[in-house]
Amino acid sequence: MPIKTHACVSITCDVCDEPYAPEGYPVHFANTAEARGLARFYGWLVTGDGQVICHEADIAHQTAMDGLLPPEPVTQVPGQIAIDGQVAE
Ligand SMILES: [Zn+2]
């Protein structure tokens, strides 16, 4: 029985460095598409640019997820007077 070397992919949370290990041991995937798909299936956040955040619900993870959100939309229309008295251009 020959011993062969294979390349594989594993996922680690960008916030807490915990590996993706739903059964208690790190899972090795054949490729990144498979890894991202299964991580998403189990509730991990996987962004298009490769960031991975596990489903831990502490402040550090929430802060990381908040950082991925787009900026607040501007709700003031041109000519409208804001609460602070300034007129939008
Ligand atoms: Zn994490």
Side-chain angles (χ1 to χ4, degrees), residues 72-84:
E72 288 286 327
V74 176
T75 56
Q76 190 175 10
V77 296
Q80 181 181 8
I81 300 174
I83 293 174
D84 62 2

Side-chain angles (χ1 to χ4, degrees), residues 12-19 44 52-58 60-61:
T12 302
C13 176
D14 284 326
V15 177
C16 66
D17 280 339
E18 284 296 316
W44 284 41
V52 179
I53 301 174
C54 75
H55 49 68
E56 189 68 39
D58 62 9
H61 287 79

Side-chain angles (χ1 to χ4, degrees), residues 4-17:
K4 297 181 180 179
T5 302
H6 299 273
C8 65
V9 175
S10 62
I11 294 180
T12 302
C13 176
D14 284 326
V15 177
C16 66
D17 280 339

Side-chain angles (χ1 to χ4, degrees), residues 24-86:
Y25 57 89
V27 177
H28 297 262
F29 302 97
N31 55 54
T32 56
E34 180 185 344
R36 289 175 183 204
L38 202 57
R40 284 185 178 125
F41 180 79
Y42 281 101
W44 284 41
L45 176 66
V46 182
T47 66
D49 64 353
Q51 286 187 302
V52 179
I53 301 174
C54 75
H55 49 68
E56 189 68 39
D58 62 9
I59 291 175
H61 287 79
Q62 187 60 51
T63 301
M65 285 192 252
D66 289 347
L68 297 173
L69 295 174
E72 288 286 327
V74 176
T75 56
Q76 190 175 10
V77 296
Q80 181 181 8
I81 300 174
I83 293 174
D84 62 2
Q86 295 190 358

